[in-house]
Amino acid sequence: MYTFLAGIALLIIGYFTYGKFIEKVFGVKEDRTTPAYVNGDGVDYIPMSTPKNSLIQLLNIAGTGPIFGPIMGALYGPVAFIWIVIGCIFAGAVHDYLTGMISIRNRGAHLPELASKFLGKVMKHVVNAFAVLLLLLVGTVFVSTPASLLHVLMDGKVALGILIGAIFVYYVLATLLPVDKIIGRLYPYFGALLIISAVGVGIGLVVTGAPIPELSLTNFHPSNAPIFPLIFFTITCGALSGFHATQTPIISRTTQKEKQGRKIFYGMMIAEGIIAMIWAAAAMSLFNGYGGLNEVLAAGGPGAVVSEVSTTMLGAIGGTLAILGVVVLPITSGDTAFRSARMIIAEYLNIAQKKFSSRLWIAVPLFVISMVLTQIDFNILWRYFSWANQATAVIALFVGAMYLYIAKKNYFIPLIPGTFMLVMVITYILNAQIGFGLSMNIAWIGGFIGAAILVVLFFVAAKKNRANNLPLEEDISNWNKVA
């Protein structure tokens, strides 16, 4: 298992080296007051400790992504390890850190507001629609997934409809109440359960000497599905995910100091990458090859793989705890998905959220739409989610590139992974059945041409913004002065 252990080692080394480099390039201002204090409202802007913020961030961004995605991506073979490690260090963690830190510099603004400021006002409307759609899909998917897992865990003794209803009730409360009432209190315990379950499976793989395959570029997918571009839409959380850009502003509004950003944003993405490595390795090694894994996925989906791996590695009691850890993941991303959607809409319409009634009338339509979406086939929802997710990631990386370009800093750090994923996003939608259904060759040509045009437009806008001295951050010099 050299590839597996080396991959985890590289992720950890990446945090202490490339993460430190990113932090230095961005330029932390230790004395700058954060939005948690400047904009404190007792609802969304509340200062919380670094350990608490870190665990909340991990649960916010994780969902079932770093588990279900790598399990399905494992069908491609060890090439999945390469994307997780490289994607996490050079794309995903950069994406999360820059989104979080730029948000901190701009009163905790969400991605649509940041896109409007740095990429043009038209992008505000485009990204707002993208973000709300993405969050609704995430929230809906993360109602159905944990309910199904609990239904299986309880041997069908509790009706699926009741479980879905119970999760919705929790989501309503977590969306409407102040961030420190439910999320701030429960998430540290949920985070501990997640980490313990993942570490338990990882240790089990090592102790039992599981036959984890070594590095290979061969495509082992039983259906011969192409690695490029599909693997980038199969493994998202754990490598690169635009959903994270909708979640980091929740914590940018509760972060006490800018110096904490690397631990919270870059570090928790690395932690998610390690979780992804563990589950990809388990899926590759415990089902007698990729054909066996494919059979289990066909019969019961990724949830069946999670159940089998957990009980095999940790026994009945430990396995149940591990499964509960996996159940917690989507719930703790689903609630913050709805919370983020509520905050984004409020920011878009300029509606203060201190009053409960202001939060309520925005949240209720979101839950009604989500309940309708639960009636749609999960696989269809997931395919649209995957594309919208990575398109959002591209937008967030270009926001980071624009910020660094205007600041006359190394903008290639986010621009290179952003451009790479832009090619993949355009190619995928041109080829996919949910898109234009063009041949792969034509789709690749369109992907490169489309990306080249958009990159040129980016540089045109960047030069204009730099010449006009576009302000990079909110002026907070008078925030604590008495009028």
mmCIF file with all atom_site columns, all heavy atoms in Angstrom, residues 133-146 167-168 171 243 330 333-335 337-338 370 374 385:
data_model
loop_
_atom_site.group_PDB
_atom_site.id
_atom_site.type_symbol
_atom_site.label_atom_id
_atom_site.label_alt_id
_atom_site.label_comp_id
_atom_site.label_asym_id
_atom_site.label_entity_id
_atom_site.label_seq_id
_atom_site.pdbx_PDB_ins_code
_atom_site.Cartn_x
_atom_site.Cartn_y
_atom_site.Cartn_z
_atom_site.occupancy
_atom_site.B_iso_or_equiv
_atom_site.pdbx_formal_charge
_atom_site.auth_seq_id
_atom_site.auth_comp_id
_atom_site.auth_asym_id
_atom_site.auth_atom_id
_atom_site.pdbx_PDB_model_num
ATOM 1   N N   . LEU A 1 133 ? -29.224 27.194 -7.015  1.00 0.00 ? 133 LEU A N   1
ATOM 2   C CA  . LEU A 1 133 ? -29.562 25.895 -7.608  1.00 0.00 ? 133 LEU A CA  1
ATOM 3   C C   . LEU A 1 133 ? -28.704 24.792 -7.006  1.00 0.00 ? 133 LEU A C   1
ATOM 4   O O   . LEU A 1 133 ? -29.210 23.732 -6.616  1.00 0.00 ? 133 LEU A O   1
ATOM 5   C CB  . LEU A 1 133 ? -29.358 25.953 -9.123  1.00 0.00 ? 133 LEU A CB  1
ATOM 6   C CG  . LEU A 1 133 ? -29.462 24.608 -9.874  1.00 0.00 ? 133 LEU A CG  1
ATOM 7   C CD1 . LEU A 1 133 ? -30.868 24.041 -9.737  1.00 0.00 ? 133 LEU A CD1 1
ATOM 8   C CD2 . LEU A 1 133 ? -29.078 24.765 -11.333 1.00 0.00 ? 133 LEU A CD2 1
ATOM 9   N N   . LEU A 1 134 ? -27.399 25.048 -6.928  1.00 0.00 ? 134 LEU A N   1
ATOM 10  C CA  . LEU A 1 134 ? -26.475 24.066 -6.374  1.00 0.00 ? 134 LEU A CA  1
ATOM 11  C C   . LEU A 1 134 ? -26.840 23.713 -4.937  1.00 0.00 ? 134 LEU A C   1
ATOM 12  O O   . LEU A 1 134 ? -26.883 22.535 -4.555  1.00 0.00 ? 134 LEU A O   1
ATOM 13  C CB  . LEU A 1 134 ? -25.046 24.616 -6.436  1.00 0.00 ? 134 LEU A CB  1
ATOM 14  C CG  . LEU A 1 134 ? -23.924 23.753 -5.842  1.00 0.00 ? 134 LEU A CG  1
ATOM 15  C CD1 . LEU A 1 134 ? -23.796 22.451 -6.614  1.00 0.00 ? 134 LEU A CD1 1
ATOM 16  C CD2 . LEU A 1 134 ? -22.606 24.513 -5.870  1.00 0.00 ? 134 LEU A CD2 1
ATOM 17  N N   . LEU A 1 135 ? -27.139 24.726 -4.126  1.00 0.00 ? 135 LEU A N   1
ATOM 18  C CA  . LEU A 1 135 ? -27.455 24.498 -2.719  1.00 0.00 ? 135 LEU A CA  1
ATOM 19  C C   . LEU A 1 135 ? -28.776 23.758 -2.557  1.00 0.00 ? 135 LEU A C   1
ATOM 20  O O   . LEU A 1 135 ? -28.921 22.911 -1.665  1.00 0.00 ? 135 LEU A O   1
ATOM 21  C CB  . LEU A 1 135 ? -27.484 25.829 -1.974  1.00 0.00 ? 135 LEU A CB  1
ATOM 22  C CG  . LEU A 1 135 ? -26.106 26.482 -1.796  1.00 0.00 ? 135 LEU A CG  1
ATOM 23  C CD1 . LEU A 1 135 ? -26.246 27.936 -1.368  1.00 0.00 ? 135 LEU A CD1 1
ATOM 24  C CD2 . LEU A 1 135 ? -25.281 25.703 -0.785  1.00 0.00 ? 135 LEU A CD2 1
ATOM 25  N N   . LEU A 1 136 ? -29.741 24.067 -3.409  1.00 0.00 ? 136 LEU A N   1
ATOM 26  C CA  . LEU A 1 136 ? -31.012 23.334 -3.362  1.00 0.00 ? 136 LEU A CA  1
ATOM 27  C C   . LEU A 1 136 ? -30.809 21.862 -3.716  1.00 0.00 ? 136 LEU A C   1
ATOM 28  O O   . LEU A 1 136 ? -31.379 20.969 -3.083  1.00 0.00 ? 136 LEU A O   1
ATOM 29  C CB  . LEU A 1 136 ? -32.023 23.968 -4.316  1.00 0.00 ? 136 LEU A CB  1
ATOM 30  C CG  . LEU A 1 136 ? -32.882 25.100 -3.762  1.00 0.00 ? 136 LEU A CG  1
ATOM 31  C CD1 . LEU A 1 136 ? -33.700 25.744 -4.874  1.00 0.00 ? 136 LEU A CD1 1
ATOM 32  C CD2 . LEU A 1 136 ? -33.805 24.587 -2.660  1.00 0.00 ? 136 LEU A CD2 1
ATOM 33  N N   . LEU A 1 137 ? -29.988 21.614 -4.737  1.00 0.00 ? 137 LEU A N   1
ATOM 34  C CA  . LEU A 1 137 ? -29.697 20.231 -5.121  1.00 0.00 ? 137 LEU A CA  1
ATOM 35  C C   . LEU A 1 137 ? -28.955 19.500 -4.001  1.00 0.00 ? 137 LEU A C   1
ATOM 36  O O   . LEU A 1 137 ? -29.273 18.356 -3.677  1.00 0.00 ? 137 LEU A O   1
ATOM 37  C CB  . LEU A 1 137 ? -28.867 20.204 -6.409  1.00 0.00 ? 137 LEU A CB  1
ATOM 38  C CG  . LEU A 1 137 ? -29.581 20.628 -7.690  1.00 0.00 ? 137 LEU A CG  1
ATOM 39  C CD1 . LEU A 1 137 ? -28.600 20.700 -8.856  1.00 0.00 ? 137 LEU A CD1 1
ATOM 40  C CD2 . LEU A 1 137 ? -30.717 19.661 -8.027  1.00 0.00 ? 137 LEU A CD2 1
ATOM 41  N N   . VAL A 1 138 ? -27.977 20.188 -3.401  1.00 0.00 ? 138 VAL A N   1
ATOM 42  C CA  . VAL A 1 138 ? -27.229 19.583 -2.292  1.00 0.00 ? 138 VAL A CA  1
ATOM 43  C C   . VAL A 1 138 ? -28.161 19.282 -1.129  1.00 0.00 ? 138 VAL A C   1
ATOM 44  O O   . VAL A 1 138 ? -28.153 18.175 -0.568  1.00 0.00 ? 138 VAL A O   1
ATOM 45  C CB  . VAL A 1 138 ? -26.090 20.526 -1.823  1.00 0.00 ? 138 VAL A CB  1
ATOM 46  C CG1 . VAL A 1 138 ? -25.491 20.045 -0.497  1.00 0.00 ? 138 VAL A CG1 1
ATOM 47  C CG2 . VAL A 1 138 ? -25.000 20.601 -2.873  1.00 0.00 ? 138 VAL A CG2 1
ATOM 48  N N   . GLY A 1 139 ? -28.963 20.277 -0.751  1.00 0.00 ? 139 GLY A N   1
ATOM 49  C CA  . GLY A 1 139 ? -29.879 20.076 0.362   1.00 0.00 ? 139 GLY A CA  1
ATOM 50  C C   . GLY A 1 139 ? -30.838 18.921 0.120   1.00 0.00 ? 139 GLY A C   1
ATOM 51  O O   . GLY A 1 139 ? -31.092 18.101 1.009   1.00 0.00 ? 139 GLY A O   1
ATOM 52  N N   . THR A 1 140 ? -31.346 18.828 -1.102  1.00 0.00 ? 140 THR A N   1
ATOM 53  C CA  . THR A 1 140 ? -32.289 17.756 -1.442  1.00 0.00 ? 140 THR A CA  1
ATOM 54  C C   . THR A 1 140 ? -31.606 16.390 -1.437  1.00 0.00 ? 140 THR A C   1
ATOM 55  O O   . THR A 1 140 ? -32.124 15.426 -0.865  1.00 0.00 ? 140 THR A O   1
ATOM 56  C CB  . THR A 1 140 ? -32.906 18.020 -2.831  1.00 0.00 ? 140 THR A CB  1
ATOM 57  O OG1 . THR A 1 140 ? -33.539 19.301 -2.824  1.00 0.00 ? 140 THR A OG1 1
ATOM 58  C CG2 . THR A 1 140 ? -33.935 16.960 -3.169  1.00 0.00 ? 140 THR A CG2 1
ATOM 59  N N   . VAL A 1 141 ? -30.437 16.318 -2.084  1.00 0.00 ? 141 VAL A N   1
ATOM 60  C CA  . VAL A 1 141 ? -29.682 15.065 -2.116  1.00 0.00 ? 141 VAL A CA  1
ATOM 61  C C   . VAL A 1 141 ? -29.322 14.630 -0.703  1.00 0.00 ? 141 VAL A C   1
ATOM 62  O O   . VAL A 1 141 ? -29.379 13.456 -0.354  1.00 0.00 ? 141 VAL A O   1
ATOM 63  C CB  . VAL A 1 141 ? -28.403 15.221 -2.973  1.00 0.00 ? 141 VAL A CB  1
ATOM 64  C CG1 . VAL A 1 141 ? -27.455 14.045 -2.768  1.00 0.00 ? 141 VAL A CG1 1
ATOM 65  C CG2 . VAL A 1 141 ? -28.783 15.319 -4.452  1.00 0.00 ? 141 VAL A CG2 1
ATOM 66  N N   . PHE A 1 142 ? -28.990 15.621 0.159   1.00 0.00 ? 142 PHE A N   1
ATOM 67  C CA  . PHE A 1 142 ? -28.567 15.297 1.512   1.00 0.00 ? 142 PHE A CA  1
ATOM 68  C C   . PHE A 1 142 ? -29.737 15.179 2.487   1.00 0.00 ? 142 PHE A C   1
ATOM 69  O O   . PHE A 1 142 ? -29.537 15.088 3.697   1.00 0.00 ? 142 PHE A O   1
ATOM 70  C CB  . PHE A 1 142 ? -27.542 16.315 2.003   1.00 0.00 ? 142 PHE A CB  1
ATOM 71  C CG  . PHE A 1 142 ? -26.211 16.203 1.294   1.00 0.00 ? 142 PHE A CG  1
ATOM 72  C CD1 . PHE A 1 142 ? -25.252 17.183 1.413   1.00 0.00 ? 142 PHE A CD1 1
ATOM 73  C CD2 . PHE A 1 142 ? -25.926 15.104 0.506   1.00 0.00 ? 142 PHE A CD2 1
ATOM 74  C CE1 . PHE A 1 142 ? -24.026 17.076 0.766   1.00 0.00 ? 142 PHE A CE1 1
ATOM 75  C CE2 . PHE A 1 142 ? -24.715 14.978 -0.156  1.00 0.00 ? 142 PHE A CE2 1
ATOM 76  C CZ  . PHE A 1 142 ? -23.758 15.966 -0.022  1.00 0.00 ? 142 PHE A CZ  1
ATOM 77  N N   . VAL A 1 143 ? -30.947 15.200 1.967   1.00 0.00 ? 143 VAL A N   1
ATOM 78  C CA  . VAL A 1 143 ? -32.104 14.719 2.721   1.00 0.00 ? 143 VAL A CA  1
ATOM 79  C C   . VAL A 1 143 ? -32.310 13.241 2.404   1.00 0.00 ? 143 VAL A C   1
ATOM 80  O O   . VAL A 1 143 ? -32.446 12.402 3.298   1.00 0.00 ? 143 VAL A O   1
ATOM 81  C CB  . VAL A 1 143 ? -33.379 15.505 2.364   1.00 0.00 ? 143 VAL A CB  1
ATOM 82  C CG1 . VAL A 1 143 ? -34.611 14.806 2.947   1.00 0.00 ? 143 VAL A CG1 1
ATOM 83  C CG2 . VAL A 1 143 ? -33.310 16.922 2.910   1.00 0.00 ? 143 VAL A CG2 1
ATOM 84  N N   . SER A 1 144 ? -32.296 12.923 1.124   1.00 0.00 ? 144 SER A N   1
ATOM 85  C CA  . SER A 1 144 ? -32.570 11.553 0.669   1.00 0.00 ? 144 SER A CA  1
ATOM 86  C C   . SER A 1 144 ? -31.494 10.570 1.104   1.00 0.00 ? 144 SER A C   1
ATOM 87  O O   . SER A 1 144 ? -31.800 9.467  1.574   1.00 0.00 ? 144 SER A O   1
ATOM 88  C CB  . SER A 1 144 ? -32.674 11.534 -0.862  1.00 0.00 ? 144 SER A CB  1
ATOM 89  O OG  . SER A 1 144 ? -33.624 12.459 -1.321  1.00 0.00 ? 144 SER A OG  1
ATOM 90  N N   . THR A 1 145 ? -30.200 10.966 0.979   1.00 0.00 ? 145 THR A N   1
ATOM 91  C CA  . THR A 1 145 ? -29.101 10.044 1.262   1.00 0.00 ? 145 THR A CA  1
ATOM 92  C C   . THR A 1 145 ? -29.066 9.583  2.710   1.00 0.00 ? 145 THR A C   1
ATOM 93  O O   . THR A 1 145 ? -29.060 8.373  2.973   1.00 0.00 ? 145 THR A O   1
ATOM 94  C CB  . THR A 1 145 ? -27.748 10.686 0.885   1.00 0.00 ? 145 THR A CB  1
ATOM 95  O OG1 . THR A 1 145 ? -27.796 11.077 -0.481  1.00 0.00 ? 145 THR A OG1 1
ATOM 96  C CG2 . THR A 1 145 ? -26.615 9.712  1.075   1.00 0.00 ? 145 THR A CG2 1
ATOM 97  N N   . PRO A 1 146 ? -29.049 10.484 3.716   1.00 0.00 ? 146 PRO A N   1
ATOM 98  C CA  . PRO A 1 146 ? -29.009 10.008 5.100   1.00 0.00 ? 146 PRO A CA  1
ATOM 99  C C   . PRO A 1 146 ? -30.271 9.272  5.505   1.00 0.00 ? 146 PRO A C   1
ATOM 100 O O   . PRO A 1 146 ? -30.214 8.327  6.301   1.00 0.00 ? 146 PRO A O   1
ATOM 101 C CB  . PRO A 1 146 ? -28.820 11.290 5.920   1.00 0.00 ? 146 PRO A CB  1
ATOM 102 C CG  . PRO A 1 146 ? -29.304 12.389 5.042   1.00 0.00 ? 146 PRO A CG  1
ATOM 103 C CD  . PRO A 1 146 ? -28.998 11.948 3.645   1.00 0.00 ? 146 PRO A CD  1
ATOM 104 N N   . ILE A 1 167 ? -35.605 14.766 9.212   1.00 0.00 ? 167 ILE A N   1
ATOM 105 C CA  . ILE A 1 167 ? -34.414 15.496 8.758   1.00 0.00 ? 167 ILE A CA  1
ATOM 106 C C   . ILE A 1 167 ? -34.795 16.899 8.298   1.00 0.00 ? 167 ILE A C   1
ATOM 107 O O   . ILE A 1 167 ? -34.090 17.870 8.568   1.00 0.00 ? 167 ILE A O   1
ATOM 108 C CB  . ILE A 1 167 ? -33.698 14.713 7.638   1.00 0.00 ? 167 ILE A CB  1
ATOM 109 C CG1 . ILE A 1 167 ? -33.096 13.416 8.212   1.00 0.00 ? 167 ILE A CG1 1
ATOM 110 C CG2 . ILE A 1 167 ? -32.596 15.555 6.995   1.00 0.00 ? 167 ILE A CG2 1
ATOM 111 C CD1 . ILE A 1 167 ? -32.543 12.477 7.170   1.00 0.00 ? 167 ILE A CD1 1
ATOM 112 N N   . PHE A 1 168 ? -35.929 17.017 7.626   1.00 0.00 ? 168 PHE A N   1
ATOM 113 C CA  . PHE A 1 168 ? -36.396 18.336 7.186   1.00 0.00 ? 168 PHE A CA  1
ATOM 114 C C   . PHE A 1 168 ? -36.647 19.258 8.383   1.00 0.00 ? 168 PHE A C   1
ATOM 115 O O   . PHE A 1 168 ? -36.321 20.448 8.349   1.00 0.00 ? 168 PHE A O   1
ATOM 116 C CB  . PHE A 1 168 ? -37.678 18.205 6.347   1.00 0.00 ? 168 PHE A CB  1
ATOM 117 C CG  . PHE A 1 168 ? -37.434 18.273 4.862   1.00 0.00 ? 168 PHE A CG  1
ATOM 118 C CD1 . PHE A 1 168 ? -37.840 17.238 4.038   1.00 0.00 ? 168 PHE A CD1 1
ATOM 119 C CD2 . PHE A 1 168 ? -36.814 19.369 4.294   1.00 0.00 ? 168 PHE A CD2 1
ATOM 120 C CE1 . PHE A 1 168 ? -37.615 17.285 2.663   1.00 0.00 ? 168 PHE A CE1 1
ATOM 121 C CE2 . PHE A 1 168 ? -36.586 19.437 2.916   1.00 0.00 ? 168 PHE A CE2 1
ATOM 122 C CZ  . PHE A 1 168 ? -36.994 18.385 2.106   1.00 0.00 ? 168 PHE A CZ  1
ATOM 123 N N   . TYR A 1 171 ? -33.416 20.500 9.576   1.00 0.00 ? 171 TYR A N   1
ATOM 124 C CA  . TYR A 1 171 ? -32.881 21.477 8.627   1.00 0.00 ? 171 TYR A CA  1
ATOM 125 C C   . TYR A 1 171 ? -33.535 22.846 8.815   1.00 0.00 ? 171 TYR A C   1
ATOM 126 O O   . TYR A 1 171 ? -32.871 23.885 8.728   1.00 0.00 ? 171 TYR A O   1
ATOM 127 C CB  . TYR A 1 171 ? -33.093 21.002 7.193   1.00 0.00 ? 171 TYR A CB  1
ATOM 128 C CG  . TYR A 1 171 ? -32.114 19.942 6.721   1.00 0.00 ? 171 TYR A CG  1
ATOM 129 C CD1 . TYR A 1 171 ? -31.106 19.472 7.561   1.00 0.00 ? 171 TYR A CD1 1
ATOM 130 C CD2 . TYR A 1 171 ? -32.194 19.423 5.437   1.00 0.00 ? 171 TYR A CD2 1
ATOM 131 C CE1 . TYR A 1 171 ? -30.218 18.511 7.121   1.00 0.00 ? 171 TYR A CE1 1
ATOM 132 C CE2 . TYR A 1 171 ? -31.295 18.459 4.985   1.00 0.00 ? 171 TYR A CE2 1
ATOM 133 C CZ  . TYR A 1 171 ? -30.316 18.006 5.839   1.00 0.00 ? 171 TYR A CZ  1
ATOM 134 O OH  . TYR A 1 171 ? -29.431 17.059 5.408   1.00 0.00 ? 171 TYR A OH  1
ATOM 135 N N   . PHE A 1 243 ? -19.095 23.513 -4.219  1.00 0.00 ? 243 PHE A N   1
ATOM 136 C CA  . PHE A 1 243 ? -20.000 23.580 -3.071  1.00 0.00 ? 243 PHE A CA  1
ATOM 137 C C   . PHE A 1 243 ? -19.300 24.237 -1.884  1.00 0.00 ? 243 PHE A C   1
ATOM 138 O O   . PHE A 1 243 ? -19.920 24.965 -1.103  1.00 0.00 ? 243 PHE A O   1
ATOM 139 C CB  . PHE A 1 243 ? -20.462 22.161 -2.709  1.00 0.00 ? 243 PHE A CB  1
ATOM 140 C CG  . PHE A 1 243 ? -21.247 22.080 -1.423  1.00 0.00 ? 243 PHE A CG  1
ATOM 141 C CD1 . PHE A 1 243 ? -22.470 22.705 -1.295  1.00 0.00 ? 243 PHE A CD1 1
ATOM 142 C CD2 . PHE A 1 243 ? -20.750 21.369 -0.341  1.00 0.00 ? 243 PHE A CD2 1
ATOM 143 C CE1 . PHE A 1 243 ? -23.192 22.643 -0.109  1.00 0.00 ? 243 PHE A CE1 1
ATOM 144 C CE2 . PHE A 1 243 ? -21.462 21.286 0.848   1.00 0.00 ? 243 PHE A CE2 1
ATOM 145 C CZ  . PHE A 1 243 ? -22.683 21.928 0.959   1.00 0.00 ? 243 PHE A CZ  1
ATOM 146 N N   . PRO A 1 330 ? -23.843 13.901 5.432   1.00 0.00 ? 330 PRO A N   1
ATOM 147 C CA  . PRO A 1 330 ? -24.772 14.633 4.576   1.00 0.00 ? 330 PRO A CA  1
ATOM 148 C C   . PRO A 1 330 ? -25.714 15.545 5.349   1.00 0.00 ? 330 PRO A C   1
ATOM 149 O O   . PRO A 1 330 ? -26.088 16.610 4.853   1.00 0.00 ? 330 PRO A O   1
ATOM 150 C CB  . PRO A 1 330 ? -25.543 13.520 3.855   1.00 0.00 ? 330 PRO A CB  1
ATOM 151 C CG  . PRO A 1 330 ? -25.387 12.317 4.699   1.00 0.00 ? 330 PRO A CG  1
ATOM 152 C CD  . PRO A 1 330 ? -24.046 12.441 5.343   1.00 0.00 ? 330 PRO A CD  1
ATOM 153 N N   . SER A 1 333 ? -24.084 18.803 6.052   1.00 0.00 ? 333 SER A N   1
ATOM 154 C CA  . SER A 1 333 ? -23.883 19.650 4.873   1.00 0.00 ? 333 SER A CA  1
ATOM 155 C C   . SER A 1 333 ? -25.226 20.117 4.330   1.00 0.00 ? 333 SER A C   1
ATOM 156 O O   . SER A 1 333 ? -25.330 21.209 3.768   1.00 0.00 ? 333 SER A O   1
ATOM 157 C CB  . SER A 1 333 ? -23.125 18.893 3.777   1.00 0.00 ? 333 SER A CB  1
ATOM 158 O OG  . SER A 1 333 ? -21.775 18.796 4.109   1.00 0.00 ? 333 SER A OG  1
ATOM 159 N N   . GLY A 1 334 ? -26.252 19.289 4.518   1.00 0.00 ? 334 GLY A N   1
ATOM 160 C CA  . GLY A 1 334 ? -27.579 19.664 4.058   1.00 0.00 ? 334 GLY A CA  1
ATOM 161 C C   . GLY A 1 334 ? -28.124 20.868 4.801   1.00 0.00 ? 334 GLY A C   1
ATOM 162 O O   . GLY A 1 334 ? -28.682 21.794 4.198   1.00 0.00 ? 334 GLY A O   1
ATOM 163 N N   . ASP A 1 335 ? -27.916 20.881 6.143   1.00 0.00 ? 335 ASP A N   1
ATOM 164 C CA  . ASP A 1 335 ? -28.443 22.010 6.907   1.00 0.00 ? 335 ASP A CA  1
ATOM 165 C C   . ASP A 1 335 ? -27.740 23.317 6.548   1.00 0.00 ? 335 ASP A C   1
ATOM 166 O O   . ASP A 1 335 ? -28.372 24.355 6.387   1.00 0.00 ? 335 ASP A O   1
ATOM 167 C CB  . ASP A 1 335 ? -28.377 21.731 8.420   1.00 0.00 ? 335 ASP A CB  1
ATOM 168 C CG  . ASP A 1 335 ? -26.977 21.428 8.928   1.00 0.00 ? 335 ASP A CG  1
ATOM 169 O OD1 . ASP A 1 335 ? -26.016 21.528 8.148   1.00 0.00 ? 335 ASP A OD1 1
ATOM 170 O OD2 . ASP A 1 335 ? -26.852 21.069 10.122  1.00 0.00 ? 335 ASP A OD2 1
ATOM 171 N N   . ALA A 1 337 ? -26.302 23.898 3.731   1.00 0.00 ? 337 ALA A N   1
ATOM 172 C CA  . ALA A 1 337 ? -26.656 24.230 2.345   1.00 0.00 ? 337 ALA A CA  1
ATOM 173 C C   . ALA A 1 337 ? -27.881 25.139 2.333   1.00 0.00 ? 337 ALA A C   1
ATOM 174 O O   . ALA A 1 337 ? -27.903 26.176 1.643   1.00 0.00 ? 337 ALA A O   1
ATOM 175 C CB  . ALA A 1 337 ? -26.930 22.957 1.548   1.00 0.00 ? 337 ALA A CB  1
ATOM 176 N N   . PHE A 1 338 ? -28.897 24.765 3.101   1.00 0.00 ? 338 PHE A N   1
ATOM 177 C CA  . PHE A 1 338 ? -30.092 25.609 3.174   1.00 0.00 ? 338 PHE A CA  1
ATOM 178 C C   . PHE A 1 338 ? -29.789 26.939 3.863   1.00 0.00 ? 338 PHE A C   1
ATOM 179 O O   . PHE A 1 338 ? -30.308 27.984 3.475   1.00 0.00 ? 338 PHE A O   1
ATOM 180 C CB  . PHE A 1 338 ? -31.216 24.877 3.915   1.00 0.00 ? 338 PHE A CB  1
ATOM 181 C CG  . PHE A 1 338 ? -31.870 23.788 3.109   1.00 0.00 ? 338 PHE A CG  1
ATOM 182 C CD1 . PHE A 1 338 ? -31.726 22.463 3.460   1.00 0.00 ? 338 PHE A CD1 1
ATOM 183 C CD2 . PHE A 1 338 ? -32.615 24.105 1.985   1.00 0.00 ? 338 PHE A CD2 1
ATOM 184 C CE1 . PHE A 1 338 ? -32.314 21.449 2.707   1.00 0.00 ? 338 PHE A CE1 1
ATOM 185 C CE2 . PHE A 1 338 ? -33.223 23.100 1.222   1.00 0.00 ? 338 PHE A CE2 1
ATOM 186 C CZ  . PHE A 1 338 ? -33.068 21.770 1.585   1.00 0.00 ? 338 PHE A CZ  1
ATOM 187 N N   . SER A 1 370 ? -37.486 22.103 -2.265  1.00 0.00 ? 370 SER A N   1
ATOM 188 C CA  . SER A 1 370 ? -36.677 20.922 -1.993  1.00 0.00 ? 370 SER A CA  1
ATOM 189 C C   . SER A 1 370 ? -37.536 19.677 -1.805  1.00 0.00 ? 370 SER A C   1
ATOM 190 O O   . SER A 1 370 ? -37.194 18.583 -2.277  1.00 0.00 ? 370 SER A O   1
ATOM 191 C CB  . SER A 1 370 ? -35.822 21.149 -0.744  1.00 0.00 ? 370 SER A CB  1
ATOM 192 O OG  . SER A 1 370 ? -35.007 20.024 -0.489  1.00 0.00 ? 370 SER A OG  1
ATOM 193 N N   . THR A 1 374 ? -37.349 16.105 -4.011  1.00 0.00 ? 374 THR A N   1
ATOM 194 C CA  . THR A 1 374 ? -37.083 14.758 -3.478  1.00 0.00 ? 374 THR A CA  1
ATOM 195 C C   . THR A 1 374 ? -37.814 13.673 -4.273  1.00 0.00 ? 374 THR A C   1
ATOM 196 O O   . THR A 1 374 ? -37.482 12.499 -4.166  1.00 0.00 ? 374 THR A O   1
ATOM 197 C CB  . THR A 1 374 ? -37.497 14.645 -1.993  1.00 0.00 ? 374 THR A CB  1
ATOM 198 O OG1 . THR A 1 374 ? -38.885 14.967 -1.850  1.00 0.00 ? 374 THR A OG1 1
ATOM 199 C CG2 . THR A 1 374 ? -36.657 15.542 -1.117  1.00 0.00 ? 374 THR A CG2 1
ATOM 200 N N   . PHE A 1 385 ? -26.018 18.113 -10.316 1.00 0.00 ? 385 PHE A N   1
ATOM 201 C CA  . PHE A 1 385 ? -25.231 18.654 -9.216  1.00 0.00 ? 385 PHE A CA  1
ATOM 202 C C   . PHE A 1 385 ? -23.739 18.636 -9.552  1.00 0.00 ? 385 PHE A C   1
ATOM 203 O O   . PHE A 1 385 ? -23.033 19.615 -9.311  1.00 0.00 ? 385 PHE A O   1
ATOM 204 C CB  . PHE A 1 385 ? -25.484 17.854 -7.934  1.00 0.00 ? 385 PHE A CB  1
ATOM 205 C CG  . PHE A 1 385 ? -24.399 18.032 -6.899  1.00 0.00 ? 385 PHE A CG  1
ATOM 206 C CD1 . PHE A 1 385 ? -24.296 19.201 -6.175  1.00 0.00 ? 385 PHE A CD1 1
ATOM 207 C CD2 . PHE A 1 385 ? -23.466 17.031 -6.675  1.00 0.00 ? 385 PHE A CD2 1
ATOM 208 C CE1 . PHE A 1 385 ? -23.286 19.378 -5.237  1.00 0.00 ? 385 PHE A CE1 1
ATOM 209 C CE2 . PHE A 1 385 ? -22.450 17.192 -5.742  1.00 0.00 ? 385 PHE A CE2 1
ATOM 210 C CZ  . PHE A 1 385 ? -22.373 18.379 -5.020  1.00 0.00 ? 385 PHE A CZ  1
#
